[in-house]
Amino acid sequence: MQRKRVLITGAAGFLGSHLCDRFIKENYHVIGMDNLITGDLKNIEHLFKLENFEFYNCDVSKFVHVPGELNYILHFASPASPIDYLKIPIQTLKVGSLGTHNLLGLAKAKQARILVASTSEVYGDPLVHPQNEDYWGNVNPIGPRGVYDEAKRFQEAITMAYHTYHGLETRIVRIFNTYGPRMRLNDGRVLPAFIGQALRGEDLTMFGDGSQTRSFCYVDDLVEGIYRLLLSDYHLPVNIGNPDEITIKEFGEEILKLTGANQKLISKPLPVDDPKQRKPDITRAKEILGWQPKVNRSEGLKITYEYFKNLPKEILFDSRHKFE
Ligand code: UDP
């Protein structure tokens, strides 16, 4: 039997690489695509020897060409941490808008179903808690996060327009904070920042007083939710995340305990527009996909810590890999 063919953009990134693994495991033919601005081929090098994996180094904001048939497209190419959007704001805007437009065009030409990676950032600094999919959000379009948030909001709008106007089969996942192996050590996100600092013997940089909250989902749970959503017949946005909410201060304390580090939490200025609280309402995912997270934080953090601990020392201590 011929394998189904899936295109995954952002394939060399944290989430993209885990999705490639999952679709390979499900016996798909996987076509990975990435321009390697924030992705790293190390994340997928184990797949290159497989006959059902191929890779294109391509900037999807420019033009996307894929020979042959496609059954599914998963658009996961995008810088995805506040530090990245500050460094490359224009690329962030382009991949969410022009890149999404190109991939929708490709999906239409190939009569493929497309799933786009949206984000809890569409809710901005939310005034509704926990956030459900009917909440429209509280976003500052001209703040530092605006380039990501508004690109993702545009992405949702154009995806819905292709669904309505062209009858394209579309899926929209709103991803909440996710963690696991292959996160970039220097991407500025709180988990690699804290674990990297703990391993280097540095104090942990807590922004503000650490009273802001997040809800962290282990990557395997997220991938399962995305897989189910893709194969479902539901075209409206679905939150996928773990509702287990924690303050950043408590999270830092958990990391210190986990790593056995003797350092302390030190306070640094809170970034502009940093959301004060975030927690997904996953009622819809439960009802429509029969999905809920299975991995609790202590389990997921242990696996993730092992990954970072086993990174070569030169990567851990190389200033280029260090977030400052
Ligand atoms: N944060 C922190 N120290 C760091 C990096 C991040 O206290 O070294 C905080 C940040 O201010 C935010 C939370 O941790 O409140 C999560 O930040 P992250 O960048 O991981 O994701 P996002 O803000 O997009 O949820």
Side-chain angles (χ1 to χ4, degrees):
M1 205 185 73
Q2 234 201 326
R3 289 185 173 110
K4 294 238 186 215
R5 291 164 59 85
V6 57
L7 169 68
I8 301 178
T9 75
F14 166 47
L15 298 182
S17 66
H18 284 280
L19 285 164
C20 288
D21 284 344
R22 175 64 188 261
F23 281 87
I24 289 286
K25 206 173 119 199
E26 303 287 345
N27 202 26
Y28 281 71
H29 183 90
V30 175
I31 301 158
M33 199 171 263
D34 207 298
N35 66 356
L36 303 176
I37 292 191
T38 57
D40 188 340
L41 283 182
K42 278 207 184 69
N43 291 334
I44 47 171
E45 66 185 359
H46 57 287
L47 301 176
F48 276 76
K49 60 179 183 292
L50 303 176
E51 49 130 3
N52 56 329
F53 181 76
E54 47 185 314
F55 178 77
Y56 293 90
N57 185 333
C58 169
D59 181 348
V60 297
S61 304
K62 293 191 177 130
F63 184 74
V64 193
H65 174 71
V66 176
E69 275 178 42
L70 275 182
N71 302 98
Y72 300 112
I73 298 174
L74 287 99
H75 181 29
F76 277 71
S78 178
S81 80
I83 209 84
D84 286 340
Y85 341 135
L86 285 177
K87 271 195 217 145
I88 41 174
I90 314 290
Q91 282 102 322
T92 304
L93 276 161
K94 283 169 76 175
V95 74
S97 54
L98 307 180
T100 301
H101 186 209
N102 288 337
L103 289 157
L104 287 163
L106 181 70
K108 182 166 158 268
K110 303 277 186 187
Q111 295 178 304
R113 180 182 297 175
I114 180 168
L115 180 148
V116 296
S118 189
T119 164
S120 56
E121 284 284 329
V122 300
Y123 303 124
D125 190 0
L127 306 175
V128 163
H129 193 76
Q131 295 79 54
N132 63 50
E133 291 87 347
D134 295 328
Y135 178 49
W136 291 352
N138 177 38
V139 171
N140 174 5
I142 56 166
R145 287 173 180 256
V147 294
Y148 184 63
D149 301 5
E150 295 297 0
K152 291 293 186 182
R153 289 168 68 96
F154 174 87
Q155 175 183 64
E156 290 199 8
I158 192 170
T159 300
M160 286 303 292
Y162 266 73
H163 174 79
T164 314
Y165 186 71
H166 289 304
L168 193 68
E169 287 194 40
T170 56
R171 307 286 179 264
I172 300 173
V173 58
R174 290 189 181 148
I175 300 171
F176 283 67
N177 293 66
T178 301
Y179 70 97
R182 303 185 190 151
M183 290 186 94
R184 229 172 65 226
L185 197 54
N186 65 347
D187 80 353
R189 288 197 164 279
V190 66
L191 181 136
F194 280 0
I195 292 189
Q197 288 159 345
L199 286 169
R200 287 190 298 266
E202 299 163 2
D203 287 335
L204 274 53
T205 53
M206 175 181 74
F207 296 163
D209 63 4
S211 63
Q212 69 274 33
T213 70
R214 294 293 184 273
S215 310
F216 297 97
C217 183
Y218 187 64
V219 63
D220 289 358
D221 281 333
L222 182 91
V223 166
E224 178 63 29
I226 290 168
Y227 188 74
R228 289 189 191 198
L229 177 61
L230 178 71
L231 299 184
S232 77
D233 57 7
Y234 193 75
H235 72 277
L236 295 175
V238 178
N239 288 341
I240 299 285
N242 189 324
D244 187 5
E245 188 181 9
I246 184 173
T247 68
I248 293 303
K249 184 161 188 279
E250 285 164 339
F251 188 63
E253 284 157 1
E254 278 190 8
I255 300 284
L256 286 174
K257 205 166 148 206
L258 171 75
T259 57
N262 288 322
Q263 298 91 268
K264 55 184 187 307
L265 294 173
I266 51 166
S267 182
K268 294 264 177 176
L270 191 67
V272 177
D273 295 337
D274 197 287
K276 282 179 278 308
Q277 49 179 8
R278 184 183 286 154
K279 167 181 172 164
D281 179 332
I282 58 165
T283 311
R284 191 176 279 183
K286 277 186 184 158
E287 280 173 11
I288 290 171
L289 311 176
W291 175 90
Q292 59 181 18
K294 290 205 171 78
V295 183
N296 64 32
R297 205 170 45 246
S298 68
E299 224 177 311
L301 283 182
K302 239 184 253 161
I303 305 168
T304 311
Y305 176 50
E306 279 304 307
Y307 167 80
F308 282 107
K309 210 168 64 177
N310 291 323
L311 285 178
K313 286 279 167 291
E314 58 272 22
I315 291 187
L316 190 64
F317 283 91
D318 184 332
S319 57
R320 281 169 305 169
H321 295 288
K322 205 169 133 180
F323 156 63
E324 296 181 293

